[in-house]
Amino acid sequence: MDWMLKDLAETVPCIRHVIVLSADGLRLAQHGTDPDTADRLAAACAGLQSLANAVGHEFPHGDGRMRLVVIEVGGGFFYLMAAGSRAYLAVLADEGVDAGLVGQRMRDLVARIGEHLTTPVRGSEQIA
């Protein structure tokens, strides 16, 4: 998966970090960042996807599932996209990024690898 994350980062100017994470905030893969930063971002993403799902349930005709969260802050953008069952793709990009291109490339990547990004539900039977 590393080369696909690298491809996303290198074909869209201004992308700084690319992370794949599980729904419970565990880093599964990364590109362009160190493991500590990736772990912090993955943990933050778990909270964001949970919040987005809670908001999604307020739409009476929707399915309540989070598909995409975009946050714009001074200095750049953050994108979080559902990427499979209990898996997510996160991208941090600088201010000059082409937001449409980021979204398109993220969707393309998820379409290519989404079925391979399924993470199992963790339960007490998995604790050894």
Side-chain angles (χ1 to χ4, degrees), residues 15-71:
I15 285 184
R16 192 174 282 279
H17 307 296
V18 181
I19 302 163
V20 176
L21 62 130
S22 65
D24 54 358
L26 296 177
R27 170 184 44 95
L28 302 174
Q30 76 204 45
H31 176 76
T33 189
D34 61 272
D36 289 340
T37 300
D39 286 342
R40 281 193 312 276
L41 291 170
C45 289
L48 285 173
Q49 65 85 19
S50 178
L51 178 62
N53 281 333
V55 171
H57 287 297
E58 298 303 317
F59 291 90
H61 302 294
D63 60 10
R65 294 184 314 184
M66 186 281 287
R67 293 189 186 117
L68 176 67
V69 172
V70 179
I71 298 174

Side-chain angles (χ1 to χ4, degrees), residues 35-113:
D36 289 340
T37 300
D39 286 342
R40 281 193 312 276
L41 291 170
C45 289
L48 285 173
Q49 65 85 19
S50 178
L51 178 62
N53 281 333
V55 171
H57 287 297
E58 298 303 317
F59 291 90
H61 302 294
D63 60 10
R65 294 184 314 184
M66 186 281 287
R67 293 189 186 117
L68 176 67
V69 172
V70 179
I71 298 174
E72 180 180 2
V73 296
F77 294 88
F78 169 78
Y79 301 84
L80 178 64
M81 181 178 285
S85 178
R86 300 186 45 77
Y88 298 87
L89 175 63
V91 170
L92 262 72
D94 292 332
E95 255 179 330
V97 74
D98 180 336
L101 184 58
V102 173
Q104 175 189 357
R105 294 290 169 89
M106 287 179 73
R107 281 189 301 274
D108 292 347
L109 180 57
V110 166
R112 284 189 294 172
I113 62 173

